[in-house]
Coordinates of all heavy atoms in Angstrom, one line a residue:
M107 N -64.2 -21.0 6.1 CA -65.6 -21.3 5.9 C -66.4 -20.1 5.2 O -67.6 -20.2 5.1 CB -66.3 -21.7 7.2 CG -65.8 -22.9 7.9 SD -65.9 -24.4 6.9 CE -67.7 -24.6 6.8
A238 N -61.4 -43.6 20.4 CA -61.1 -44.4 19.2 C -60.0 -45.4 19.4 O -58.9 -45.5 18.8 CB -60.6 -43.4 18.1
S502 N -43.2 -43.5 42.4 CA -42.1 -43.5 43.4 C -40.8 -44.2 42.8 O -39.7 -43.8 43.0 CB -42.5 -44.2 44.7 OG -42.9 -45.6 44.4

Side-chain angles (χ1 to χ4, degrees):
M107 299 298 297
S502 60

